Amino acid sequence: MSTWTTVKTSTAPVGPSPTAPAHPDVLEVREAPRADLRTDGLSLGYGESVVVQALDLQLPAGSVTAVVGPNGCGKSTLLGGLARLHAPRAGAVLLDGRDLARMRPRDAARRVGLLPQSAEAPDGLTVRDLVRYGRHPHQGLMRQWSPEDAAAVERALVAADLLPLADRPLDTLSGGQRQRAWIAMVVAQETDVVLLDEPTSALDLGHQLEVLALVRTLATQGRTVVLVLHDLSTACRSADHLVAMLDGRVVAQGRPASVITPDLVRELYGVEAVVLTDPVTGAPVLCPTGLSPR
């Protein structure tokens, strides 16, 4: 069971209330081992429909990969496949050479964390309560809440810059703060791979930058981060590696500066655009000029 499902369906605490370390602002940052995540001929679908077709992907370890493409191209389905939410129709997801589908669910949840598009929390839940759910895969009959779990929660709160808000109800936070709280829950899971489905949707520019700064922090700690983004310029600015999808297939992948061209934008979105270079970051910046002739 994924952590976010537990949050949606249960209000019971994961364990006894943890005691915060004396100096949470100087908690040791734990670097994650760099995970080798790739797909081998991966096909995914729903019912009779095949949505993702025979994908061969190598997702760079310790980097941020953004998956982009038009609505309905298979981005979220791919992310769900990487998180074991969808059983492969063919092929496999390989984590450090092991078939993810053959791993025990709890073992897989300790390696791969997912934040879906529409995560919901029970009313009255505080930030700390939510983040504690990230420790669910580490609990069991023989292992209850421990000081290690409490420290992991504190590290996640510090990483997300939420420690001063830890005891605030989620529904009193701004949109950006609330989204950082959800990501902090995934951080507390302490997985090597972090999957985020549209983490900046419905956020204003400032809150988007807050969330993307946290995403960059995760990658600098060695985590392999894969996120779905709709805004192409944002994806180019925030990602080390870009995967462009169309009709369930990968049509381009690589560093944003080498992938994004007017021809690709036209192919993906049916839009004419001028591709400029950000004078600060060097990332591609799109300036749409109109719809492509049909």
Side-chain angles (χ1 to χ4, degrees), residues 4 42-46 51-53 55 57 66-87 93 113-118 195-199 201 226-230 243-250:
W4 70 274
L42 180 67
S43 294
L44 302 164
Y46 307 95
V51 179
V52 171
Q53 305 179 48
L55 291 194
L57 282 178
V67 184
V68 300
N71 291 339
C73 71
K75 302 185 299 294
S76 294
T77 301
L78 171 60
L79 214 65
L82 296 176
R84 284 179 35 127
L85 294 185
H86 308 308
V93 177
L114 168 68
L115 179 62
Q117 289 184 44
S118 303
L195 309 173
L196 306 172
D197 197 353
E198 298 186 36
S201 62
V226 185
L227 64 162
V228 168
L229 291 174
H230 272 296
V243 174
M245 294 186 65
L246 182 66
D247 296 331
R249 299 183 183 276
V250 172

Side-chain angles (χ1 to χ4, degrees), residues 64-71 73 75 196-205 208-209 212 227-239 241-244 256 260 264-265 268-269 271 273 278 283-288:
V64 178
T65 294
V67 184
V68 300
N71 291 339
C73 71
K75 302 185 299 294
L196 306 172
D197 197 353
E198 298 186 36
T200 59
S201 62
L203 297 182
D204 63 32
L205 181 59
Q208 287 183 32
L209 293 176
L212 293 172
L227 64 162
V228 168
L229 291 174
H230 272 296
D231 186 83
L232 201 50
S233 292
T234 300
C236 291
R237 185 175 62 249
S238 59
H241 187 78
L242 212 62
V243 174
I260 297 302
L264 179 64
V265 176
L268 292 178
Y269 303 105
V271 169
D278 187 313
V285 177
L286 267 69
C287 298

Side-chain angles (χ1 to χ4, degrees), residues 78-117:
L78 171 60
L79 214 65
L82 296 176
R84 284 179 35 127
L85 294 185
H86 308 308
R89 296 287 185 86
V93 177
L94 302 176
L95 180 60
D96 293 335
R98 295 180 60 191
D99 187 342
L100 196 64
R102 296 180 179 274
M103 295 175 65
R104 294 191 308 170
R106 190 174 295 274
D107 291 341
R110 291 173 178 172
R111 299 293 311 279
V112 180
L114 168 68
L115 179 62
Q117 289 184 44

Side-chain angles (χ1 to χ4, degrees), residues 145-162:
W145 190 265
S146 70
E148 181 181 347
D149 294 312
V153 169
E154 298 302 311
R155 283 193 294 270
L157 290 168
V158 170
D161 195 22
L162 288 172

Side-chain angles (χ1 to χ4, degrees), residues 27-35 61-62 110-111 152 155 159 187 189-194 216-224:
L27 285 171
E28 175 188 359
V29 174
R30 291 191 175 182
E31 292 193 3
R34 293 176 180 264
R110 291 173 178 172
R111 299 293 311 279
R155 283 193 294 270
V187 173
Q189 198 170 331
E190 293 194 326
T191 57
D192 310 328
V193 177
V194 176
R216 173 54 55 190
T217 298
L218 298 179
T220 59
Q221 294 173 357
R223 290 179 171 87
T224 299

